[in-house]
Amino acid sequence: MPGFNVQGIGDPKGGSSTQEFAYTYTWKIFEMFGSAATHDSDLLVNAKDISLPTFSVGIETRQGASLEYKFAKNVSYDDVKVTFYDAIYPSLLDLMIKWRKTVWTDEVGLKTAEQYKKNSRFDILGPSGVEVSRWNLIGSWPSTIRHGELTYTSSDVKIVEVTVTYDYAEEEEQQ
């Protein structure tokens, strides 16, 4: 791994300072679709990529006599973007329609938050396949589902892009 080591940073358990790195291609998604999936064991979707939650703190400023003071104002989390490879069987389109219907239908309109807000989870794995951290998205729901494009100019696999909006994220480090 290119770069350099910082002295004093190592294994908190007192072992070797050899580090294992997280790679961008090792993660699993659980409970992303809430009640839209009838049986998680029957569900297989292929995700191309997912963005990690981004934590931001709003800043409030107050002007003093000769200095501007800054304070934390509020906390927000940016939406998570997930890109799926479209599948014919089981139908990813059917799953996305069911998931969208947890938020809105033409018969009822917008549903209540308790009907569509769920908790989603994804795990980040180390190179050996061991879970190194877990993200829980509290109050998550699909705010955008983009079904991709059809074209004669490419033979790429069709993708579906989903924006997952949530109230806040909890990161659990695994021991």
Side-chain angles (χ1 to χ4, degrees), residues 82-84 86 92 96 145-148 158-162:
V82 185
T83 304
F84 296 100
D86 204 351
L92 187 62
M96 291 297 128
I145 299 174
R146 184 175 177 270
H147 291 284
K158 187 174 164 297
I159 60 172
V160 176
E161 298 167 325
V162 178

Side-chain angles (χ1 to χ4, degrees), residues 53-172:
T54 303
F55 171 85
S56 301
V57 177
I59 299 171
E60 183 173 334
T61 60
R62 294 286 182 230
Q63 185 65 44
S66 61
L67 187 62
E68 182 178 76
Y69 296 93
K70 298 177 184 177
F71 302 93
K73 180 178 176 180
N74 63 332
V75 172
S76 65
Y77 287 87
D78 292 343
D79 295 340
V80 166
K81 311 278 192 231
V82 185
T83 304
F84 296 100
Y85 290 110
D86 204 351
I88 296 170
Y89 183 81
S91 173
L92 187 62
L93 176 60
D94 290 345
L95 178 64
M96 291 297 128
I97 290 170
K98 287 179 188 175
W99 199 18
R100 189 236 336 132
K101 284 183 176 183
T102 65
V103 179
W104 177 87
T105 65
D106 55 347
E107 297 90 22
V108 178
L110 282 174
K111 299 199 177 175
T112 63
E114 68 183 16
Q115 292 175 298
Y116 64 82
K117 282 190 169 189
K118 306 296 179 196
N119 295 338
S120 301
R121 180 183 115 209
F122 58 93
D123 299 346
I124 299 174
L125 309 175
S128 59
V130 176
E131 181 181 332
V132 294
S133 68
R134 171 178 292 168
W135 284 97
N136 297 304
L137 306 181
I138 310 303
S140 64
W141 52 282
S143 58
T144 304
I145 299 174
R146 184 175 177 270
H147 291 284
E149 300 173 0
L150 302 175
T151 179
Y152 279 115
T153 62
S154 171
S155 61
D156 292 340
V157 174
K158 187 174 164 297
I159 60 172
V160 176
E161 298 167 325
V162 178
T163 301
V164 179
T165 299
Y166 55 98
D167 296 328
Y168 65 97
E170 296 174 335
E171 183 179 18
E172 299 175 30

